[in-house]
Each structure stands twice: as structure tokens, then as C-alpha cells.
Amino acid sequence: MPFPPPSRTLLGPRRRSLLASAAGAALLVGCSADADDSGTTGGSESAAERARAHAATDSETLLQRYDAVLAAHPTLADRLDPLRAEVVRHAAAFGGSSSTPSATATASPSASAAAVPATPSDALAELATAERALADRRAKSLLDLPGELARLLASVAAAGAAHAYLLTEGAK
């Protein structure tokens, strides 16, 4: 007796497969050919330091966006707090401020009201766009960086892409 066909035909890869593939691809791009690469490339050490500082600033700017959204839409705290905590860790990993206060202490309601969309769904979409844009910029800059920094940036870029996915898919 043949089994009946499934009621829903899967078209394309599943979400988990896409996330795993994107994260794996980003990590593979960050791997270097030199196993003994210690994170410096002779005279370009200052370039690596500049890239690390820029990455820290980018993470701190993204953190400010999270704080503004949380100040304007406190009902999103349960959803955004774990993602915000990851952004804090990313900033610290690049040498940024690791002792960032909570969202309620850093964002002033008057400053955030002008910059944050009025509805929670629009605010989430704006955050997702910011996460995606930053992840794309970081992924593009990987080839110009030394091994360890490239691997760190690849990992953070993959996390940012996952954050963008979670921010958009959770609304569906």
C-alpha cells in the first residue's frame, strides 16, 4: 500500500537549512589559508586596528538603535533584550564599551521618539534593515582583514544576519 503524498510540498530549503548555510558560509569566508596567522599582517596592523575600532563603533551604533526602539516601544523588551545583549557582546568583542547600561538607562524618550517608527512592527522592520545592512557590510570587508579578525567579523556578521531574520520572521 503506497503512502499518501504529504499535504504540504516543501519548496526550496527549510529555514534552519538557510540559517545554517549562511552562518557556515560566513565562517568559511573568514578562514585564512595561513594557519600561523596571528592577526597581524606586517605593516597593516594599524589597518586591522582601524577595522576593529570601526566594527566596535558599528556595534555601538546598532546598540543605540536597539535602545531607542526599546525606549519608544517597551512592549518589545521580551523580544529585543536577547538580541540587544548579543550586540553588547559584539561591541565588547571588538574592544568597544563592554559595560553598556540597560536600554532604559541609555535612551532618552525625547531623542528616540523622533528617530523610531511609530508602530512596533515598523520599528522591528527598521531594526532588521539595520542588522542586515551591517551584516552585509561586515561580510564584504572580510577579505581585507587578517585571520582572527576576519573570523570574528564573519561570526558577528552571521549573527547579525540571524538577528535580521528573527526580527522579520517573528512578525509573520
Side-chain angles (χ1 to χ4, degrees):
M1 165 187 227
F3 291 106
S7 61
R8 188 180 120 208
T9 305
L10 295 176
L11 299 174
R14 298 182 64 187
R15 285 183 214 159
R16 287 186 200 144
S17 301
L18 286 174
L19 281 176
S21 298
L27 289 174
L28 286 176
V29 169
C31 294
S32 68
D34 296 333
D36 62 342
D37 188 359
S38 64
T40 62
T41 55
S44 67
E45 182 177 340
S46 63
E49 288 176 14
R50 283 191 308 269
R52 184 180 290 275
H54 185 69
T57 301
D58 284 345
S59 290
E60 289 169 349
T61 300
L62 183 60
L63 181 62
Q64 291 172 357
R65 284 184 183 229
Y66 271 91
D67 289 344
V69 170
L70 285 165
H73 302 288
T75 58
L76 295 174
D78 287 344
R79 186 166 178 192
L80 295 182
D81 282 347
L83 300 177
R84 182 192 180 280
E86 287 295 315
V87 174
V88 169
R89 284 191 278 278
H90 296 161
F94 290 118
S97 173
S98 61
S99 59
T100 305
S102 69
T104 55
T106 60
S108 68
S110 61
S112 63
V116 176
T119 66
S121 62
D122 288 344
L124 289 174
E126 189 255 345
L127 268 178
T129 300
E131 285 272 18
R132 192 173 299 110
L134 182 55
D136 290 346
R137 281 195 319 270
R138 286 176 167 169
K140 287 178 185 173
S141 68
L142 290 174
L143 297 176
D144 300 329
L145 299 174
E148 278 305 310
L149 182 56
R151 285 186 279 280
L152 175 61
L153 200 62
S155 177
V156 173
H163 289 183
Y165 175 81
L166 292 171
L167 290 166
T168 56
E169 283 299 309
K172 291 182 180 180

